[in-house]
Amino acid sequence: MKAKFLNISGIEVLSRENMKQIKGQAKLDFSKCGCDCRGSVTGPDYCRIYFACAQVYTCQEEM
């Protein structure tokens, strides 16, 4: 199967040095996560994976 990939134009095998130079990571911004008045997680989809809200959460407006 590796040989089939090498037949595609523009594809090359990376050396160990090239692989070491590749850097990247996903940054998750948890400041976008929160809870609504029903206790549901709000924000991007990843918030539901890493963030939890209390089962009973009530909002009260300040006067």
Side-chain angles (χ1 to χ4, degrees), residues 37-49:
C37 292
R38 296 175 300 169
S40 299
V41 176
T42 59
D45 289 338
Y46 61 81
C47 291
R48 289 164 188 75
I49 297 170

Side-chain angles (χ1 to χ4, degrees), residues 1-7:
M1 183 169 217
K2 181 179 175 183
K4 291 181 183 179
F5 282 118
L6 296 176
N7 291 333

Side-chain angles (χ1 to χ4, degrees), residues 7-29:
N7 291 333
I8 300 172
S9 64
I11 299 293
E12 63 182 76
V13 176
L14 295 176
S15 68
R16 288 189 184 267
E17 276 305 310
N18 289 7
M19 285 189 237
K20 288 179 184 177
Q21 293 175 0
I22 297 173
K23 295 180 181 176
Q25 68 183 46
K27 292 189 177 186
L28 304 177
D29 185 0

